[in-house]
């Protein structure tokens, strides 16, 4: 069963990620205090997720120790194949989400982390872009299920 192992938000574009124990998810808007939190937010821009297993594989392959939160996704997961959720509704704890699209890796994050192969290695492994369908709090340790 999948679970949340880290939560992060970024208050302004380019600023450092704030690691949190919990975050308020607001239906249709995003995560409170995150840079993408706005009224009538685009469905695929409200919350992002990434698998720690893909981050650990990258760190091992390239002999790096980049913290999972630095990959600039809001929720870091463990023990769940996120790609299998595209187009589906699921829950993180009590919060209902819908996965709309894969998160494609970008050169911005690659440059920020001072890596050369991040875009290549995270193609189809960069996580999910999701819509928040119900409001409430997400906590570290929350279970992820359909």
């Amino acid at each position: 069963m999948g679970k949340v192992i880290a939560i992060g938000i970024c208050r302004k574009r380019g600023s450092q990620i704030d690691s949190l124990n919990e975050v308020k998810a607001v239906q249709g808007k995003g995560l409170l205090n995150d840079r993408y939190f706005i009224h009538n937010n685009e469905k695929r821009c409200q919350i992002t997720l990434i698998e720690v297993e893909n981050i650990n594989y990258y760190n091992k392959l390239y002999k790096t120790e980049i913290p999972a939160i630095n990959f600039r996704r809001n929720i870091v997961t463990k023990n769940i194949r996120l790609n299998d959720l595209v187009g589906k509704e699921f829950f993180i704890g009590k919060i209902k989400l819908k996965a709309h699209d894969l998160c494609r890796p970008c050169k911005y994050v690659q440059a920020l982390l001072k890596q050369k192969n991040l875009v290549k290695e995270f193609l189809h492994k960069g996580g999910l872009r999701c819509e928040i369908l119900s409001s409430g709090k997400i906590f570290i340790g929350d279970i992820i299920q359909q």
Side-chain angles (χ1 to χ4, degrees):
M1 197 168 354
K3 71 177 186 173
V4 174
I5 64 164
I7 300 170
I9 62 168
C10 183
R11 295 176 192 274
K12 292 189 311 187
R13 187 181 191 278
S15 65
Q16 189 169 356
I17 300 293
D18 294 329
S19 184
L20 309 171
N21 291 321
E22 63 183 62
V23 68
K24 184 171 184 181
V26 181
Q27 181 181 0
K29 292 185 179 182
L31 300 178
L32 191 61
N33 297 319
D34 189 64
R35 68 197 178 282
Y36 293 118
F37 182 84
I38 57 171
H39 184 65
N40 291 325
N41 196 347
E42 189 179 336
K43 291 179 181 180
R44 60 184 213 93
C45 295
Q46 296 175 15
I47 186 171
T48 57
L49 293 77
I50 191 167
E51 298 170 38
V52 74
E53 291 86 353
N54 293 337
I55 293 168
N56 291 343
Y57 174 78
Y58 181 87
N59 279 331
K60 183 176 179 182
L61 185 65
Y62 290 97
K63 297 176 177 45
T64 59
E65 294 182 13
I66 302 168
I69 207 74
N70 288 6
F71 282 80
R72 304 189 76 78
R73 301 293 186 251
N74 300 122
I75 305 293
V76 181
T77 68
K78 184 175 183 172
N79 296 330
I80 188 162
R81 300 261 317 134
L82 295 175
N83 289 13
D84 295 344
L85 297 176
V86 172
K88 297 177 182 173
E89 294 180 0
F90 64 100
F91 288 87
I92 296 180
K94 295 179 180 180
I95 307 304
K96 190 174 187 180
L97 304 177
K98 181 170 184 180
H100 285 282
D101 197 8
L102 296 180
C103 273
R104 280 143 185 91
C106 64
K107 290 185 178 183
Y108 172 76
V109 174
Q110 180 171 277
L112 201 64
L113 296 176
K114 298 179 174 86
Q115 299 298 304
K116 293 180 181 173
N117 294 309
L118 190 123
V119 170
K120 180 184 116 189
E121 293 295 338
F122 278 89
L123 193 62
H124 305 292
K125 299 180 205 168
L128 286 181
R129 295 182 170 279
C130 301
E131 174 183 7
I132 300 170
L133 300 176
S134 65
S135 297
K137 287 193 175 180
I138 296 173
F139 301 90
I140 289 181
D142 273 355
I143 300 300
I144 303 167
Q145 58 190 348
Q146 282 186 284

